[in-house]
Amino acid sequence: MIRNLARLSDETFDAVVIGGGIYGLWTAHALTTRGFSVALLERRDFSGATSFNSLKTVHGGIRALQHGSFADTRQFVRERRALATLAPHLLRVMPFVVPTARHPVRNRTAMRVFLRAYDAVAADRNHGVDPALHLPPSYTVGPRAARALNPLVDPDGLTGAAVWHDYQLHSPERLAIALVRTITEAGAAAANYVEARGLLKHADRVSGVQALDLRTGASFDVRGRLVINASGPWAWQLLASCGIPVDRSSGFSLALNLVLDHPPRPHALGGVSKGRFLFLVPWRDRSILGTSHEGFVQGPDPSPVPADISALLRDGVEAFPHAGLNPASIRLVHRGLLPARPAAATAHGALLKRSIVRDHRADGVPGLLTVAGVRYTTARATAQQAADLCTEILGRPVTPPALAPLAGAAFNGLALYRQQGQGQDRFVARYGTLHTELPADGRDPIAPDIDVTSSEILYAIRREMALTLSDVTLRRTDLAAGGHPGADALRAAASVMAAECGWTTGQTADEIQAVERELTLETPAPSARKPSG
Ligand SMILES: Cc1cc2nc3c(=O)[nH]c(=O)nc-3n(C[C@H](O)[C@H](O)[C@H](O)COP(=O)(O)OP(=O)(O)OC[C@H]3O[C@@H](n4cnc5c(N)ncnc54)[C@H](O)[C@@H]3O)c2cc1C
């Protein structure tokens, strides 16, 4: 993975993808694997925006089936399975427990029938999947067993629980890096900290992007036969800035999670507040409460106000009264804007039903496509649609290739590989087979009680395009992705980076401050955290 800006400015690509979130990355992957030449531009770091903030659930479509959509449910099942084939080491099986009650819909009998139907729809969920990731059948249990599965289940009115399984992504950021590595190995050119500032046009057709290297301030052009706008919530701003008509009645739903310093339980727990489901999900050594969809905003910058955060915590307390959730345990606030339906102005942030793959020929702007969606899980499917459309526009028919594991994911039995890893489990879970590339020196933790080594930091800088302390601590290693790791750990990581990158004392202090700011920005000030009810 090399940040090769000379290539970006020298070549003419089949497609220039704007945005290194999960939608842009899968789109670049879908095009590269079909043999197209691709440039990918990300103005911050890969997976540094909405995609960083996901609850990390790889959904199997239970919710879609509840809403009666067989086709959507099947898409979730297929995509969950595809991810298990493409990057098994980054996933783990996550059991979900949802209490049942004397309720017209959420009663035990209805849930049993529903889960049977779901399992039938998802009967092929394990086809071709590594046995270590096989998802067991869903089931219901009685009240005592429900409490045994997760003691936080509220005994009040409890009749039992419904139990199903999905996957959890340990780190969406590591999936992003696996994708960047895969596409660059297949010939794509990718760079972080390069912003698309405008569109190039030739004979009324979009012919590339005016780009700005945010590290040096240098401007350059990236030429492409097609430009794909996958810039997440910024997609509409980009279109408007290029004079393309945008429907102003559409907006965004602000989605929030709270990362809590709360002991993780083996099962994710569902609970209801104000008629909507929330989950308390174990993740690493923390729990995440989410996801709330608050209100309707014009966007595109996701800045929750303390009232949004307090409201989510209050709902969490209502949904999980025995969990002892409190403001002091908030370590990080995940937030992002997801495209909402126009009706959301009155319907409380209702998300877009279908992903968007728009060919702007319809707006009189040939050569430009916009790709966006509301689910991390199904981003790959949307990317395949976008790639189909590109194939048609470029007039070079290709058969979509069979699923092939991403870089670092070609295992011949994940469980066996882990066993043979002899103490390398943590590295396998992050790097897959590529853990063998980690430099041999610096295998000790950078600070006491911190599970990150200098070796990982050096690898991030040398091989994974990490340019800032934020890249290293939030998106390459596990150091700060769950909240502030402590001043000593941050300083230790910074000093490894400073030695490798030749930073001065002043630069190092600036880098530390930038991460501090980022983490403070993600977390409300203590005085603002108190729930109002
Ligand atoms: C709190 C929360 C919880 C969620 N939980 C789940 C979940 O559990 N499961 C699930 O399936 N989905 C979940 N989602 C949804 C999922 O995270 C999003 O659908 C997905 O991450 C959106 O990805 P994206 O690539 O469209 O956007 P982004 O990740 O925002 O990527 C867009 C990228 O474009 C870049 N960019 C913008 N403008 C430019 C420019 N001019 N030039 C270059 N680059 C540019 C940005 O920097 C950004 O990195 C959740 C979302 C949120 C917010």
Side-chain angles (χ1 to χ4, degrees):
M1 279 171 62
I2 294 170
R3 190 171 176 269
N4 187 341
L5 302 194
R7 252 197 86 197
L8 284 175
S9 61
D10 289 352
E11 290 182 21
T12 297
F13 297 89
D14 289 322
V16 181
V17 179
I18 304 172
I22 196 63
Y23 278 83
L25 288 165
W26 277 127
T27 303
H29 179 263
L31 289 166
T32 312
T33 51
R34 288 169 197 223
F36 293 109
S37 62
V38 174
L40 177 94
L41 314 180
E42 165 54 50
R43 74 169 168 197
R44 299 192 208 166
D45 189 25
F46 307 112
S47 194
T50 322
S51 301
F52 173 85
N53 293 279
S54 135
L55 188 62
K56 292 139 208 0
T57 305
V58 181
H59 298 282
I62 288 251
R63 186 73 64 91
L65 193 61
Q66 269 168 344
H67 289 147
S69 175
F70 177 78
D72 287 351
T73 310
R74 285 296 305 157
Q75 186 184 63
F76 275 106
V77 172
R78 275 195 305 272
E79 289 308 310
R80 183 180 61 181
R81 191 180 57 201
L83 202 52
T85 310
L86 291 162
H89 59 296
L90 295 173
L91 299 178
R92 70 165 172 147
V93 174
M94 175 60 62
F96 282 77
V97 175
V98 169
T100 55
R102 292 186 204 294
H103 181 274
V105 181
R106 289 194 305 275
N107 66 73
R108 204 165 130 201
T109 309
M111 287 304 285
R112 189 184 309 125
V113 172
F114 172 74
L115 288 178
R116 278 204 190 132
Y118 172 73
D119 280 0
V121 174
D124 56 355
R125 63 189 177 277
N126 294 323
H127 281 188
V129 172
D130 190 293
L133 288 179
H134 276 195
L135 297 169
S138 313
Y139 55 93
T140 56
V141 293
R144 192 182 300 220
R147 297 261 303 151
L149 286 176
N150 191 324
L152 299 181
V153 168
D154 186 3
D156 193 22
L158 185 72
T159 61
V163 183
W164 73 84
H165 299 78
D166 276 325
Y167 295 128
Q168 181 179 67
L169 254 177
H170 173 80
S171 164
E173 301 74 49
R174 293 300 321 172
L175 176 63
I177 295 304
L179 275 162
V180 178
R181 168 111 178 212
T182 306
I183 62 167
T184 49
E185 280 182 353
N192 48 2
Y193 299 102
V194 172
E195 183 170 50
R197 303 289 287 222
L199 299 176
L200 300 172
K201 285 206 173 167
H202 181 71
D204 281 342
R205 196 187 154 79
V206 173
S207 60
V209 159
Q210 293 156 350
L212 178 69
D213 175 5
L214 295 170
R215 301 289 292 174
T216 62
S219 297
F220 59 98
D221 291 344
V222 185
R223 287 176 302 278
R225 293 173 187 91
L226 286 177
V227 171
I228 298 165
N229 170 19
S231 53
W234 295 274
W236 290 265
Q237 196 181 49
L238 191 86
L239 293 176
S241 74
C242 299
I244 295 163
V246 171
D247 177 4
R248 289 276 165 205
S249 67
S250 317
F252 302 94
S253 171
L254 174 63
L256 293 180
N257 296 327
L258 302 179
V259 180
L260 303 168
D261 191 4
H262 192 277
R265 306 270 172 182
H267 295 71
L269 179 62
V272 180
S273 164
K274 301 196 183 76
R276 290 184 302 163
F277 262 105
L278 281 177
F279 288 91
L280 191 60
V281 182
W283 176 64
R284 303 186 184 174
D285 59 348
R286 306 243 141 116
S287 298
I288 310 183
L289 171 68
T291 296
S292 71
H293 295 278
E294 291 301 332
F296 175 79
V297 282
Q298 222 49 68
D301 288 304
S303 311
V305 294
D308 296 323
I309 295 160
S310 299
L312 171 53
L313 191 63
R314 214 168 36 239
D315 290 351
V317 170
E318 188 185 324
F320 310 107
H322 300 280
L325 303 183
N326 66 76
S329 62
I330 300 176
R331 289 291 167 270
L332 200 67
V333 179
H334 282 158
R335 74 268 195 271
L337 293 177
L338 302 175
R341 280 178 264 162
T346 51
H348 205 73
L351 297 179
L352 207 67
K353 276 265 185 216
R354 293 258 173 280
S355 293
I356 297 169
V357 177
R358 180 152 182 96
D359 178 352
H360 290 287
R361 279 183 293 191
D363 306 308
V365 189
L368 180 67
L369 267 64
T370 291
V371 176
V374 297
R375 285 281 170 233
Y376 194 98
T377 309
T378 48
R380 198 194 71 96
T382 306
Q384 294 293 331
Q385 281 174 37
D388 287 346
L389 187 56
C390 293
T391 304
E392 179 203 312
I393 297 171
L394 291 169
R396 281 181 17 212
V398 254
T399 319
L403 288 182
L406 300 185
F411 300 98
N412 202 355
L414 182 58
L416 186 66
Y417 189 88
R418 281 181 176 146
Q419 262 170 32
Q420 290 167 341
Q422 291 164 355
Q424 302 293 310
D425 273 18
R426 195 176 72 72
F427 295 119
V428 174
R430 300 184 55 73
Y431 303 90
T433 57
L434 299 180
H435 75 93
T436 53
E437 293 183 352
L438 289 169
D441 49 332
R443 289 298 187 110
D444 293 327
I446 54 166
D449 298 329
I450 294 289
D451 218 5
V452 171
T453 61
S454 319
S455 156
E456 288 170 86
I457 296 176
L458 296 175
Y459 185 69
I461 301 164
R462 293 174 191 166
R463 304 288 298 270
E464 297 187 327
M465 249 190 261
L467 299 175
T468 69
L469 187 62
S470 166
D471 298 345
V472 161
T473 55
L474 280 129
R475 292 172 297 277
R476 300 296 184 283
T477 69
D478 280 348
L479 193 61
H484 201 301
D488 289 348
L490 213 50
R491 264 197 304 272
S495 80
V496 176
M497 249 195 121
E500 176 72 6
C501 303
W503 289 345
T504 62
T505 314
Q507 277 173 311
T508 311
D510 287 350
E511 290 284 333
I512 292 176
Q513 248 181 33
V515 175
E516 294 279 3
R517 264 199 311 275
E518 213 170 330
L519 290 171
T520 316
L521 187 93
E522 311 260 350
T523 317
S527 58
R529 287 204 212 133
K530 210 167 165 42
S532 51

